[in-house]
Amino acid sequence: MDSSSPDVVIAGAGIIGASIAWRLAQAGLAVTLVDAGTVGGEASWAGAGMLAPGGEVETRDAWSDLALESLRLYPDFVAELESASGILIDYRRSGAVDVAFDEGEWQSLRRRAEAQRPLGIPSICLSAADVLTRIPLFNREIAGALFYPEDAIVDPRDIMRALRTACCVRGVEIREGFRTRRIDGHGDSVEVEGECLTLHASVAVLAAGAWSSQIQVSVNGAHESRPQSFPVRGHLVGYQLEAGSLGPILRSGRTYVLQRSGGFTIAGTSSENVGFDRNLDERVIRDITARAGDLLPYLSQRSYTTAWNGFRPGIDAPAPEMRRLDGNNIWLAYGHYRNGILLAPVTANLISRQILSSSQHVGPHQN
Ligand SMILES: Cc1cc2nc3c(=O)[nH]c(=O)nc-3n(C[C@H](O)[C@H](O)[C@H](O)COP(=O)(O)OP(=O)(O)OC[C@H]3O[C@@H](n4cnc5c(N)ncnc54)[C@H](O)[C@@H]3O)c2cc1C
């Protein structure tokens, strides 16, 4: 591939940028994927990996249909990625259990379930005995519980390892340590300016997560305004438990516990507006472990083995930016906030199809 003039340059190699790169390369385009750090080193490394419209969607809005479509795409996305990369991905349609500890919480869960049914999100009521059958570690008095059979879990770190390999297999040029400063569109071409090098291509995609607003976007040199991205820091805490000891995701309010296949168990989370501060906050970690121990008392007898944080890509708009900028070849794909792992398959399909159908000048590239 001629790295000095690829068809497409993608700025940001999180799950969003890397999924788009893979789809475009599968279609035969020459793609360069650049990242200021490393592939999948930020939010897409930190995410818990719940694929859970049951806990996230309450009304039909700009992104709820996308969330449901992406959940439907996930099993094939994972199977295709495993086959393309040879890397196994820890993905499970685990279901999720939401528990209510008082009548007020139970009524609000039931109202949410009523609102979700017409959107195509099924749930069933569980008694305390039913919950104990599904989650033997959960032995608490409850006012009620709901089971969401379609919610699922994936390990986003597996996805990122697999995407990296699948991209390499398809000839995507990966440039780590390439901090994009500016993307400029001129008619049918774009310039992606880094600190030491400017890349020229037919198309650019801005997919730099929480950092997307730090990259200047212009058309013929004139600044383009667009919704601002910003970081919403979240902490997670990990425990090593016996594999298979927690089947479904367990949720209550803003606290959740989920388990990877090997028994690594994650409790979350927090939502903090502290800019790009990477320091672990012991106070926040104590709050999460206390809430998790309250939800699943078994955890209060265990010590957590690790804790980490990451920056959700918040956006100053009701839904992620997933569109072409008017009149030029720059696409935006950022602002997936707390559902970017879930939304990756649908975002990659949408953006890659728009790019492929947009212009006869864009590939497929002849290797
Ligand atoms: C604690 C936590 C829990 C979460 N749990 C879930 C969950 O359960 N389910 C779910 O669906 N989502 C979850 N999320 C959200 C999800 O992780 C994100 O929405 C998703 O990872 C965003 O992907 P992205 O590719 O847009 O961003 P990122 O993964 O952050 O990727 C952006 C990339 O851009 C790069 N970059 C930055 N600046 C530049 C530049 N100037 N030039 C080039 N590259 C640049 C960065 O280095 C980074 O690699 C969670 C997030 C957090 C923090």
Side-chain angles (χ1 to χ4, degrees), residues 183-201:
I183 301 176
D184 193 23
H186 325 256
D188 281 350
S189 65
V190 295
E191 280 178 14
V192 177
E193 183 189 303
E195 282 164 338
C196 310
L197 179 70
T198 296
L199 299 171
H200 299 266

Side-chain angles (χ1 to χ4, degrees), residues 176-296:
E176 297 182 315
F178 184 110
R179 183 174 300 281
T180 306
R181 283 184 175 157
R182 188 180 63 86
I183 301 176
D184 193 23
H186 325 256
D188 281 350
S189 65
V190 295
E191 280 178 14
V192 177
E193 183 189 303
E195 282 164 338
C196 310
L197 179 70
T198 296
L199 299 171
H200 299 266
S202 303
V203 168
V205 181
L206 172 54
W211 294 265
S212 295
S213 287
Q214 294 180 355
I215 298 175
Q216 195 189 323
V217 175
S218 55
V219 175
N220 297 323
H223 175 73
E224 277 283 315
S225 66
R226 61 202 156 86
Q228 292 290 301
S229 66
F230 54 89
V232 181
R233 191 174 73 179
H235 279 73
L236 293 173
V237 177
Y239 304 77
Q240 191 58 50
L241 304 187
E242 197 185 320
S245 53
L246 182 66
I249 302 165
L250 178 62
R251 300 189 291 238
S252 176
R254 60 196 181 95
T255 307
Y256 57 78
V257 184
L258 63 97
Q259 191 173 75
R260 305 261 183 260
S261 296
F264 186 66
T265 301
I266 296 172
T269 182
S270 59
S271 194
E272 308 153 64
N273 293 310
V274 294
F276 288 102
D277 179 354
R278 293 182 188 276
N279 290 311
L280 290 179
D281 186 329
E282 290 301 330
R283 206 176 31 86
V284 174
I285 292 169
R286 271 199 305 278
D287 175 56
I288 294 172
T289 53
R291 282 189 280 125
D294 204 28
L295 175 59
L296 190 62

Side-chain angles (χ1 to χ4, degrees), residues 8-13 16-22 24 31-35 180 192 203-207 355:
V8 184
V9 175
I10 299 174
I16 299 299
S19 304
I20 296 168
W22 179 45
L24 290 173
V31 180
T32 297
L33 178 62
V34 305
D35 198 284
T180 306
V192 177
V203 168
V205 181
L206 172 54
I355 291 172

